Every structure is written in C-alpha cells, then in structure tokens.
Amino acid sequence: MSDASTFPKPRFLSVVIGLIGLGLARMGLTLVGAGGSLYYLLAGLTLLVTAVLLFRGDRRGAQLYGIFLILTYLWSFYEVGLDAWALMPRVAMFTVLGLWFVLPRVRRGLHQSEPIPLFQLRETQATLGGFAVFIIALFIANGGYEVGTPSAAGTGQVFNDSGDWMHYGATKRGTRFAPSDQINVDNVDQLEIAWQTRTRVPGEFKGTPIQVGDGLYLCTGRNIILSLDPDTGEERWRFDPELQSARIGFWDTCRGVTYYRSPPQRPSLECPERILTATTDARLIAVNKANGQPCADFGENGEISLLTGMGEVKPGYYFVTSPPTISNGVLVLGGWVMDNQETEEPSGVVRGFNPITGDLVWAWDMGRQERLGLPPEGESYTRGTPNVWSLTSTDEELGLVYVPTGNATPDYFGGHRSEAMERYASSVVALDSATGRPRWHFQTTHHDIWDYDVPSQPTLADIPINGEIRKAVIVPTKRAQIFVLDRETGEPLTEVAELPVPQTDIPEESTVPTQPFSVGMPRFDHEMLREADMWGITPFDQASCRIQFARMRYEGPLTPPTTGYGTLYYPGVAGGMNWGSVAVDERNHLMVVNSLHNPSVVRLIPRTDITESTTYGIGGTQTGTPYAVFSFFFLSPVFAPCLRPPYGELAVVDLANQEILWRRPLGTTTDMGPLGIPSRLPLPMGMFYSAGSIVTGGGLIFNAGVTDSQVRAIDVFNGEEVWNAQLPAASTATPMSYVSPETGKQYVLVTVPDGGGILSLESQVDDSVDEPEVEGGYIFAYALPD
C-alpha cells in the first residue's frame, strides 16, 4: 500500500483560490466603501483563509470552502430567488471550482495520514453534482411564462382588407398588421425562401419596403431607391440620388419610401404615380413609380432642398431618415438634428409640402407658430427647437397627422431652454394636415433632460374601452411607458398619473416635481433597480457593476443627470421602446410590444474640467451650456451588460382589458459574448434587438431584429416560437408582408445589412476613394411551397 503522505498538497488550487480571494476582497472593500453589499469582502477574506489552509494541506480548507459555497447559495437565493440567470454569476464559478475538490489527487493531498472513506468521496460528489443539477433545472424552469386568454378575440375591424403593404407601417395608421391568413400557425413550419436578392449597396440597410400593386419599392443606405418584382425579386429600376452627406452619424440611413398617386382633380402628366424619399443630405426627391426617373414637375428636376429657411447648417447637423406621411394631399415631413453638440442647432420645424409640385404648403415652427410660410430674408426657423426624426401617422377622416417629438438640443441640459423649446418637447402632437397648426398635444416627459424623445411611430387603433369602441392613438416611449390617448382630443383613454420624481442637484438646472406615468397600461421596465439586479459573467465583473451602481446617482425612474460618477439612466438611450414601435392585430385587439432593458451611464462634465483627452462616449460637447456630457451603455469591464437578463422581451397586450396576455424573453446569446466575442451558445437569455415586429391575420408575429440573426414566427396567442430561419446577420429593419396580385401568394419580406456599415477611416474623410464592388444588403422573401 502506498503512503498517503507522498501525495502533494493542493498548492496550485490554493494559489487559484487565493488570487480569487484577493481580487474579491479588494473589490469588496471598494464596494463597502461605496455603501454596497458586504458579501464580496467577506467572500474574499474567506477564500484567502481557505487558500492558506489548502497550501498547508489542511483538510479544514476544503471544509471551509464547502461552508462558503453553501452560504453563497443561501445569500444568492436571498438576493434573487430562483432566477437562474441572476444566480449564474453568483454561484457558477464557485460551483465549478468546488468540483476541483472532488479530484482524487486533491482529496488525497488533504488526507495525508489516512485513506479517504469511499462514502465521504461519493457524498461530496453527490453534493456538488446536486448543485449543478439544481442550477440546470432552474434554467429549464425559468423558460416558462404565463399565458392569458384574449378578452375580445375576433371582434375587431380590419382596415386593410386588400392585404397590400402600401405604407411604412402597412397603412397610414401604422399598425404593422397584414390581414392575410394564408401563412398561419398550422403551416408556417413549411415556410421557405421563395427568392432572395442583393442590393449592391454597402453599409446600413434599415429600410422596410412597401408594396404597391405589382411592385416593391424600398430604399437602401444612401437613399438609393429600388423597384423589384414582388414574385421574383428581379430589379426593375434603381435611382441613386448621389448623396453629398457628411459621412458622420446616420449619414447612410434610410428607413423607407412614400407612395403617392395624384388625384383626378390634380393630375400629374409627368408622374401620375410617384415614389418619394427624404435624404440625409436634406433633399426631398420624387421619382416616377414606373421607371425611377425624377419627376420633372416636382421642384427642380424632381427634388427640393430642405435647407431653405434653416439658416446655418453645419455638415451632418440636419438630415432626414424616415419616410414622410401624406395626409389629405399634403406631404408632412420632420427631420433629425445632431444630438448633444450645441444649443443653437438647426430648427426642429415640421413642414407640409405639395407632393406634386414640391411647393411649401405650411411650416410648423414651434417658436413662431403664427407664421405659416418661410421666414423673412435673413431670418431662419427657430433654432434649437425639438425635432421630429421618427415616423408619423395620420387619420385622414379627422384631418390629423400625429408627430412624435424629441427634446430641445442638447439632450442632457435644459437650463437655457425657452418656453417654445419646452412646450411641445417629448410629446405626441396632433397637427391639422391642412394648416399644420396643433389641435392638441400630450407631453410624455416634462423638461426632458434624459433624451427621452418619443421615438416610435404613433399607432392608430379602434379599441373597446369600458364597452365602447374608442378611436385611440397608442404612443410607445423610450421610458417603456405606453400612453393610450383619444386621437381626436388627446384625452388619456387609460389612466395617467403625475407622480413625484427625483430632483436635480445641478445649480444651473431645474426639474419639475412630477412626471406622467401610464398607470392604466402595463409597464415594460423594472420599477426600481437594486444593487442585487447587477449582473456580470463572473463574480468579478458583477462586483465591478455593483461598485458602479453604488457610486452613481440612482433614485428610480427619471433620476436627473449629475456630475462625478454620473447617473444611472434606465431605461437607457435606446429605450424601452424605439422606432420599431408596436404592432396591432386589428381583428383581435392585441398589441405586440418589443421592449429593451439596456441602462446607460450619463455623466455631466463641467466645462472647466474638459481637456483634450476628455471622452464623451456617445454623448457630446453640449456647447453653449455649462456642461459637456459622457453617455454610454452600462457595461462591465468585459463588456457584459451590468443589468441581469433579459435584455430583449416580446409581449402581447390585450387592448380590450389593458392586461398582458403573455411576456417572454426573445433571442439567444449565439452572436454575443464577453469582449464582443460571439459565444456560439444558443442560451435563451433574451437579447438586444433593433426595429420592430409585424403581426398577421394568420395569428403570427414575425421578427428578425434580434442580435442572434434569426427570423422568427411566434404564435400571437401564446408566445410559442413556431418557426425560425438563420440569417447572415441581424436585420435592422421591421419586416413586412404582402399578397402578390399576380400569383395570390403571401410573402414575408426581411431585409438584412451586409455588415459594411462602418467604412474605413480613409473613405470617411476622402470621398475620392473608390469603394470596391460590393454585393450589399440582402432581401429575403419567404413563402409557402407551391
């Protein structure tokens, strides 16, 4: 029999545990100093003692580690209950490390003078194995969610019986509802690619196509318009406006195009039917639907400048990315101004144009509302006013256009703002389509210093409320609050309460005592974040996130920006909800909601502290105010999210009773991981997404914007994923669906960028550099087999 004393002491294990303990103790001390949890300091000290005992070959080291592991589990359950994703950074690494103690070599090294009882070895193995099985079982159990029963299924009116997708949001109501049920829950598993094509345009591809009769029309990046055959994808024509945009910001973003047919009383012989696009170099262009040639009767050779009346516009400071809306013969258009740069940025004026001639019909200048037309020579529209960068919708019977506004520039300081800058900021405004004058407005955030502009297209739906069908406008927000208003009067149809919010500590700033909360609708954010909600891949980056959280100012929703370590800003700059808006199943009164959980860090930088090395993240200089701003996503040192999962969710709300029918995480971690390295692990964590979803008469939701690069079909009634297909990349546009007038076949269309959105530095600064021939973005059309 061999002498047990010949087995070496587990010194490598002791060194590993010692280093872990040292790191946790140091971070734990910092966390305690910031007012955070004691656990990490105590855990670090315990592991240091464990390491010393193990180095000496003292079996009490293993016993202490076992006690530590049990107490860690108990503490974790106390903090986050049985949430498997939240438990992972707390217990996974320590459980795996605990398996090391089961190795016979380590066991014998700790039993120097006596053999290891077989039952004790098996008992330890069983205990650690039990922990592992328990965690796996939790992940399985956490995959479930509650499903309710629709209260008004089949009772709604469909406003798009033709099945055409003639506007960005299917109709001018912006419901993203395709009524056809040819593709449905029973046959969607047979869906296949009917055709696909490439755009031959590099970079961004955020465009959702429209379908008008026997043609598809869409814009790629750089505002290039394509016309395609809806049954084959064959290109019929293309129009390249040859952009002169400064290659910064969203210079090559185009979300869609607009169709217009001239009425008999105002015929256009040049272009009876036209496709219009507004560009990132501030032009409005009309081309013939039949051949893509500029409409000679529109402006000058088919285009007008949107810079007229704007005054000085620095390169990249004013551009348009969203398609205009045509309401009762008036083309209504807003624009986007550069974020966070200065106080005197270009105006957020909204304008109405004649879609045949390009003539200005009216202008809504928030600072000069009495003036309908252009400013006098030498003047400009009021600078620095809130802009309308996102998508608009219209009720032509009421003669109203619904425009979602941003906040006045810059985003995170408002001490300089005038009444004109404040009154309509971060609101939905109902403009008279004939005159451009506001009939009503509803402000979703007062004195907005959080960049909580209203990003979503207002969605129009007729819904039963208290036994009566009401004409509603649904307003999703970055705050993850959804307001439901009477679209004729602006009166809230579901309860809105003004609730107290934290106040500013910046001397030059002011805040309001209360803010509006949509308490009559489900909320899609966490009501209040805690230190226990912080996350990470390991205990180290979780501790780092806890330290950041403890140092920052956070007192709940709408905590104002501050200096020092800054403010935790949740929901973050991307929402909540964003420009993908919601989708509404008109037949069943069901609303599809995509929501994000992605906090931001916002830190004001006093002007006196700015140096050449100052970084702003995605913030900016805020010239003209006492503070610049740093803004970025709330991430750990390995670029993992600091908030526990899920990060992206999909839900359905029953609009008839304002209750959630179901809610679930959407997407896996396949293309995400620490340090930006894809994990290739399809963990159903619920991931980040862009754009939005559509819903169809076949009871299906389609979404292709999650970072795991899949297009999915989901049962609208229960949330079950019933079909998916892999894409070459995640889509950055909302899908669409149409029925071909030639074949009667229903298609689901998805656009995907080529990944070439970030050009080389050389080509960004030198337009003379020739770009290589590219295949560009993808367009996939899915249909049932013949």
Side-chain angles (χ1 to χ4, degrees), residues 279 370 450 477 611:
T279 68
E370 75 284 356
W450 299 270
T477 67
T611 66

Side-chain angles (χ1 to χ4, degrees), residues 337-360:
V337 299
M338 184 68 72
D339 286 336
N340 294 314
Q341 299 307 308
E342 58 189 40
T343 55
E344 290 293 315
E345 294 194 24
S347 176
V349 62
V350 178
R351 287 169 282 188
F353 295 95
N354 184 316
I356 297 178
T357 65
D359 294 338
L360 181 69

Side-chain angles (χ1 to χ4, degrees), residues 550-579:
R551 285 174 167 172
M552 286 187 290
R553 185 181 179 194
Y554 175 74
E555 299 164 30
L558 296 158
T559 301
T562 192
T563 54
Y565 289 108
T567 296
L568 180 64
Y569 162 43
Y570 171 76
V573 66
M577 293 91 192
N578 212 290
W579 55 274

Side-chain angles (χ1 to χ4, degrees), residues 551-620:
R551 285 174 167 172
M552 286 187 290
R553 185 181 179 194
Y554 175 74
E555 299 164 30
L558 296 158
T559 301
T562 192
T563 54
Y565 289 108
T567 296
L568 180 64
Y569 162 43
Y570 171 76
V573 66
M577 293 91 192
N578 212 290
W579 55 274
S581 195
V582 296
V584 173
D585 179 339
E586 296 175 333
R587 186 173 289 120
N588 297 300
H589 298 299
L590 299 178
M591 177 174 67
V592 181
V593 180
N594 293 83
S595 59
L596 280 174
H597 302 278
N598 189 18
S600 300
V601 177
V602 174
R603 183 171 68 249
L604 295 179
I605 307 169
R607 192 70 55 194
T608 55
D609 294 348
I610 297 174
T611 66
E612 291 184 1
S613 61
T614 299
T615 58
Y616 305 107
I618 54 175

Side-chain angles (χ1 to χ4, degrees), residues 176 322-323 325 332-336 348-350 364 366 386-394 401-407 424-431 440-444 452-460 473-478 578-579 581:
R176 278 158 283 280
S322 296
T325 292
V332 180
L333 185 66
W336 195 328
V349 62
V350 178
W364 178 48
M366 299 176 202
N387 62 90
V388 177
W389 62 265
S390 191
L391 299 129
T392 58
S393 51
T394 182
V401 180
Y402 303 91
V403 300
T405 66
N407 58 346
Y424 296 105
S426 303
S427 302
V428 58
V429 184
L431 297 179
W440 59 260
H441 79 282
F442 178 88
Q443 192 164 64
T444 66
Y452 277 152
D453 43 8
V454 180
S456 303
Q457 180 182 27
T459 296
L460 313 186
V473 54
I474 300 167
V475 186
T477 67
K478 285 186 180 181
N578 212 290
W579 55 274
S581 195

